[in-house]
Amino acid sequence: MRLLSERQTDSENLSFSAICLGLVGVVSCLSSFFPLLSLFAVLFLPLLGAVESYCCKARYIVAFALGAGIIGPLLGAYSVDNVLFFVLPSVYAGLSYGYGLRKGMGDEILVFVSALVETILFFASVAFIYAVYGIDMRKAVFSLLGKDGEAAYAIFPLFGFAYSLCQAGISHLIIYNLGSRMSMQMQKGLDISSFEDGFAILMLSACFGIAYLDISAAYLCFGLGAYFALYSLRRIVKGRWLIACAIALCAITMLAAAYLYSKLPQNAGMISFALFLLPLPLLSLSSKLINLAKKPAKGHRDDEK
């Protein structure tokens, strides 16, 4: 039986879910005794949820999600805050990834949605842990990394999103590598590149104004926009004139970003880098709009002939 194949019988679904749930329990136990290890061990944890969600039937996925929420805190009771913050968001983000894989989402949207779900769960767990246990997980995380202070707290949302992207990326890489070896049929998602470029432009532009209101929210907007801005490079490299324009505009905006760095509020200087990334989605979206405008014109000329 292939690893990435749908489980047909109840016994196959039950045994596979039990194995995945057991591994979640092991990681929960380890993370409660070795907090630093949990930072790296849970990088691969979304893979369990993704495979479970992709291969098993709906009722077993629900049972797995409920079981993880019960078994994880029980086996990690020595330090349940680490389980709630590191383990469970990773598992549930993996479940969302597997669901998206079943529905045939595109690569960039699939990874983004999984990372966004985990980031939201990160924030929810931080609020819950602080309300129930009085523990500030932001301080706990940065203490493990040897960083502390106001600047570290400011970038915490961006850190959470980047960490979630890393987890989703690892799961995506492993699943697609295994899928290609096992002749797994990967569905191609819808072309929503225009939406992605527009979203990147909106986030990268908005983060400058938001920086004067909430630095943490501005950094999160910067991360969301930067993700799709970097993806737009795939479309830019297809045309020589786009590459030339991108190099010229990025060089100009780099100088502007250096000037803007000192003008932003304290601890928000890195947001100026958004100005450097902004030409990428702008060029990508402009190129697509120009191509769309040319197609009707060409068809009209053919009709006249």
Side-chain angles (χ1 to χ4, degrees):
M1 181 171 57
R2 292 175 177 176
L3 176 63
L4 295 178
S5 61
E6 186 176 352
R7 271 51 185 174
Q8 301 295 335
T9 65
D10 289 339
S11 59
E12 289 176 349
N13 280 270
L14 184 60
S15 59
F16 190 79
S17 297
I19 292 172
C20 292
L21 197 57
L23 291 174
V24 171
V26 170
V27 176
S28 299
C29 187
L30 289 175
S31 66
S32 66
F33 288 101
F34 307 102
L36 185 59
L37 177 63
S38 62
L39 276 173
F40 303 98
V42 297
L43 284 173
F44 299 92
L45 200 53
L47 185 62
L48 288 177
V51 174
E52 167 73 23
S53 182
Y54 182 78
C55 297
C56 293
K57 296 179 179 179
R59 62 178 180 275
Y60 292 96
I61 297 172
V62 174
F64 171 82
L66 294 175
I70 296 172
I71 291 177
L74 284 177
L75 293 181
Y78 181 77
S79 183
V80 71
D81 51 304
N82 283 331
V83 176
L84 294 175
F85 181 74
F86 290 111
V87 178
L88 293 185
S90 302
V91 172
Y92 295 139
L95 290 175
S96 66
Y97 177 93
Y99 177 80
L101 189 63
R102 273 191 170 189
K103 296 300 181 181
M105 287 185 180
D107 295 354
E108 59 270 30
I109 291 295
L110 189 58
V111 174
F112 177 79
V113 169
S114 177
L116 187 61
V117 167
E118 185 169 1
T119 303
I120 294 172
L121 292 175
F122 270 150
F123 295 155
S125 65
V126 167
F128 178 80
I129 292 169
Y130 186 77
V132 176
Y133 300 101
I135 300 174
D136 189 348
M137 289 304 297
R138 300 176 302 170
K139 185 175 182 180
V141 170
F142 286 119
S143 296
L144 289 174
L145 299 175
K147 301 290 183 182
D148 203 354
E150 186 179 347
Y153 291 161
I155 66 168
F156 181 77
L158 179 60
F159 170 80
F161 180 66
Y163 186 77
S164 302
L165 276 179
C166 185
Q167 289 182 301
I170 290 174
S171 299
H172 186 72
L173 182 64
I174 293 176
I175 285 178
Y176 267 63
N177 185 46
L178 290 175
S180 61
R181 292 184 180 183
M182 297 178 179
S183 300
M184 175 183 172
Q185 293 183 352
M186 300 292 185
Q187 300 181 27
K188 188 176 181 181
L190 297 174
D191 182 13
I192 55 172
S193 56
S194 298
F195 168 79
E196 295 169 3
D197 291 334
F199 182 79
I201 294 169
L202 177 63
M203 290 293 103
L204 292 176
S205 302
C207 67
F208 291 103
I210 296 175
Y212 291 94
L213 302 175
D214 190 322
I215 297 176
S216 296
Y219 272 116
L220 181 59
C221 289
F222 169 70
L224 297 176
Y227 173 80
F228 286 115
L230 293 174
Y231 254 106
S232 65
L233 276 172
R234 298 192 307 177
R235 296 179 284 275
I236 291 176
V237 296
K238 295 179 180 179
R240 291 182 179 180
W241 71 273
L242 286 174
I243 297 174
C245 289
I247 293 174
L249 288 174
C250 286
I252 295 172
T253 53
M254 183 183 293
L255 297 175
Y259 171 78
L260 191 63
Y261 185 90
S262 59
K263 304 297 181 181
L264 290 170
Q266 187 179 6
N267 299 324
M270 196 175 74
I271 292 175
S272 63
F273 190 66
L275 199 61
F276 173 72
L277 295 175
L278 197 54
L280 301 179
L282 280 171
L283 282 172
S284 176
L285 183 60
S286 300
S287 173
K288 186 154 190 174
L289 292 176
I290 290 172
N291 290 333
L292 287 174
K294 287 180 178 179
K295 286 181 180 179
K298 183 179 179 181
H300 181 68
R301 288 195 299 268
D302 291 339
D303 291 339
E304 290 180 348
K305 291 179 181 179

